[in-house]
Amino acid sequence: MHVTHLSLADFRSYARIEVPLDPGVTAFVGANGQGKTNLVEAVGYLASLGSHRVSSDTPLVRMGAERAVIRAAVTQGERSQLVELELNPGRANRARINRSSQVRPRDVLGIVRTVLFAPEDLALVKGDPGERRRFLDELITARSPRMAGVRSDYDRVLKQRNTLLKSAAMARRHGGRGMDLSTLDVWDQHLAQVGAELLMRRLDLIETLQPLTDKAYEQLAPGGGPVALEYRSSSADPEGAGPQAARSRDELYARLMAALAGTRKQEIERGVTLVGPHRDELLLKLGQLPAKGYASHGESWSYALALRLASYELLRAEGNEPVLVLDDVFAELDARRRERLAELVAPGEQVLVTAAVDDDVPDILAGVRFTVADGTVERA
Ligand SMILES: Nc1ncnc2c1ncn2[C@@H]1O[C@H](COP(=O)(O)OP(=O)(O)O)[C@@H](O)[C@H]1O
Ligand SMILES: [Mg+2]
């Protein structure tokens, strides 16, 4: 798919802007702080209902304005659609498809698809496990928009279970009578049910992503691999068998239930849920070593890029080609990696690139250029 028109109102630094877009490569060039990332961030928001830079919507609304609107015309094959999101920080966001009826923001997922490369991606390799869980879960949602519901169910159940554990922990500390734990049993079942679904998707994703990531790493840094993705689960059994050993959702459910039973005493002491997908880790290995803590800066970059390229291959293979967004990444790379990355993304249906100066855009990505300056976006 590709975006044929992007309109923003009170989004970030833009009061109002209309940007017609073509398929193929488009580069947005301008000095730092002029609003390049703001543009592509808006496209990414339509695809994931979130920003790659901030976790709350508040900074996305132009200072002094009440709400922001992101609107995009999208073409997929013969089909054209108009999607619109209104961001209302502190209140529910609103969505429309083809101007007509109100839909839930979640219903917009899947119309715009993106794979976004950004300097922040280095945190995929060097950052906390939460970064890698988010990477997996966002890709799961891109593959299957229905999973947005499962993710938010899981977050809700987890929050409620934690609240219950916290009050159990409080009650214990204050020497009160033990609380009725049958309620906790019910929350265990909820958590294990939704958790098993999420876990199954993650395991399936990793299996698919593994060979694609290894291939992409080899293309970016020949001879530098192999890379391996390993899922380390908080619900692995005492013999160390991970959930990979389980092949069905029922088995994953049983495993989660057993793990919850095994840690319940500890959970009540600490007042927090200690097992479940929110505690799992995606281990990124380079050769025999974990990338985090061992890989060089350049290797970490190659790894992060390989994960994004693999995501792109996967989404493309599954039918609807995503828009590739490369936000300020070429400036971060040495000449070799730059050229290789450019060659790999150049054939994409739509590629949106941002760069501070023309020279940062590799020649092979010649296409439409826009100059971004002072809140204006002009075709060069
Ligand atoms: N909510 C907002 N309201 C007004 N201006 C904003 C808002 N969020 C960010 N900005 C401004 O946008 C600019 C950064 O834009 P960005 O797209 O990140 O720049 P770059 O061109 O370097 O990628 C900064 O000058 C910042 O002050
Ligand atoms: Mg930027």
Side-chain angles (χ1 to χ4, degrees):
M1 47 84 36
H2 64 272
V3 177
T4 53
H5 193 95
L6 177 70
S7 319
L8 303 178
D10 291 331
F11 183 86
R12 289 281 200 186
S13 53
Y14 294 105
R16 245 212 117 81
I17 191 145
E18 304 288 335
V19 188
L21 292 167
D22 293 319
V25 180
T26 298
F28 298 98
V29 180
N32 283 327
Q34 299 301 304
K36 305 182 298 292
T37 301
N38 294 346
L39 282 177
V40 293
E41 184 179 38
V43 179
Y45 195 101
L46 290 174
S48 65
L49 302 183
S51 154
H52 68 289
R53 294 197 285 187
V54 288
S55 54
S56 109
D57 286 348
T58 307
L60 304 180
V61 176
R62 194 165 68 93
M63 191 55 80
E66 222 173 285
R67 66 181 69 87
V69 177
I70 309 172
R71 191 181 299 130
V74 177
T75 293
Q76 183 197 347
E78 303 283 282
R79 188 163 181 220
S80 292
Q81 292 189 88
L82 193 65
V83 288
E84 183 181 314
L85 281 176
E86 182 185 288
L87 314 188
N88 298 300
R91 285 177 299 124
N93 291 344
R94 302 190 336 159
R96 294 202 298 173
I97 299 175
N98 297 332
R99 294 196 191 277
S100 62
S101 56
Q102 292 277 344
V103 296
R104 293 173 309 172
R106 210 189 275 168
D107 298 327
V108 162
L109 288 170
I111 297 178
V112 176
R113 310 225 291 173
T114 60
V115 172
L116 195 145
F117 298 68
E120 286 82 358
D121 286 348
L122 206 50
L124 280 179
V125 181
K126 295 183 177 242
D128 294 336
E131 302 278 350
R132 289 175 287 284
R133 286 193 294 266
R134 188 157 59 96
F135 165 74
L136 292 175
D137 292 346
E138 281 183 356
L139 192 48
I140 284 169
T141 312
R143 286 178 97 182
S144 160
R146 193 186 69 75
M147 288 302 293
V150 173
R151 280 171 70 193
S152 69
D153 284 350
Y154 186 81
D155 292 344
R156 186 174 44 81
V157 171
L158 179 64
K159 219 165 137 188
Q160 269 157 342
R161 191 173 182 278
N162 281 341
T163 306
L164 197 64
L165 285 170
K166 224 166 265 149
S167 51
M170 286 280 263
R172 261 179 58 108
R173 242 171 264 144
H174 295 291
R177 279 179 296 122
M179 62 182 296
D180 176 12
L181 291 177
S182 61
T183 327
L184 195 54
D185 289 340
V186 176
W187 285 108
D188 283 8
Q189 288 165 21
H190 286 320
L191 192 85
Q193 235 150 32
V194 192
E197 168 96 43
L198 194 55
L199 209 46
M200 201 170 70
R201 298 291 184 139
R202 284 191 188 168
L203 294 172
D204 176 59
L205 172 63
I206 290 169
E207 207 175 298
T208 315
L209 207 57
Q210 155 68 43
L212 297 173
T213 311
D214 192 49
K215 183 172 153 226
Y217 195 95
E218 177 63 22
Q219 286 170 323
L220 287 163
V227 302
L229 313 181
E230 273 179 34
Y231 197 72
R232 296 284 169 95
S233 179
S234 58
S235 55
D237 69 20
E239 287 85 57
Q244 290 85 343
R247 282 291 87 185
S248 69
R249 190 176 334 183
D250 289 348
E251 270 182 68
L252 292 170
Y253 173 81
R255 204 176 275 268
L256 275 165
M257 285 299 281
L260 286 167
T263 45
R264 176 174 280 196
K265 197 163 155 273
Q266 222 187 330
E267 286 190 327
I268 291 177
E269 272 162 25
R270 304 208 9 214
V272 60
T273 300
L274 296 172
V275 294
H278 68 291
R279 286 273 177 153
D280 293 352
E281 162 74 306
L282 170 65
L283 183 67
L284 305 176
K285 286 174 77 179
L286 179 57
Q288 293 306 307
L289 297 171
K292 180 176 171 168
Y294 291 88
S296 72
H297 188 73
E299 286 170 334
S300 301
W301 253 117
S302 295
Y303 215 128
L305 296 173
L307 288 168
R308 294 296 182 200
L309 282 169
S311 308
Y312 171 56
E313 286 301 329
L314 178 130
L315 294 178
R316 186 157 73 151
E318 289 178 355
N320 183 2
E321 171 148 359
V323 176
L324 281 162
V325 177
L326 294 104
D327 182 26
D328 225 1
V329 292
F330 291 109
E332 306 264 350
L333 305 176
D334 57 47
R336 237 173 65 137
R337 267 178 262 254
R338 208 189 256 226
E339 289 312 314
R340 291 196 188 265
L341 179 63
E343 281 164 26
L344 292 168
V345 299
E349 178 176 338
Q350 186 169 50
V351 187
L352 306 179
V353 180
T354 78
V357 289
D358 269 318
D359 284 352
D360 282 344
V361 184
D363 292 340
I364 189 174
L365 295 180
V368 176
R369 298 263 157 133
F370 283 93
T371 306
V372 181
D374 238 359
T376 64
V377 180
E378 304 280 349
R379 200 166 162 148

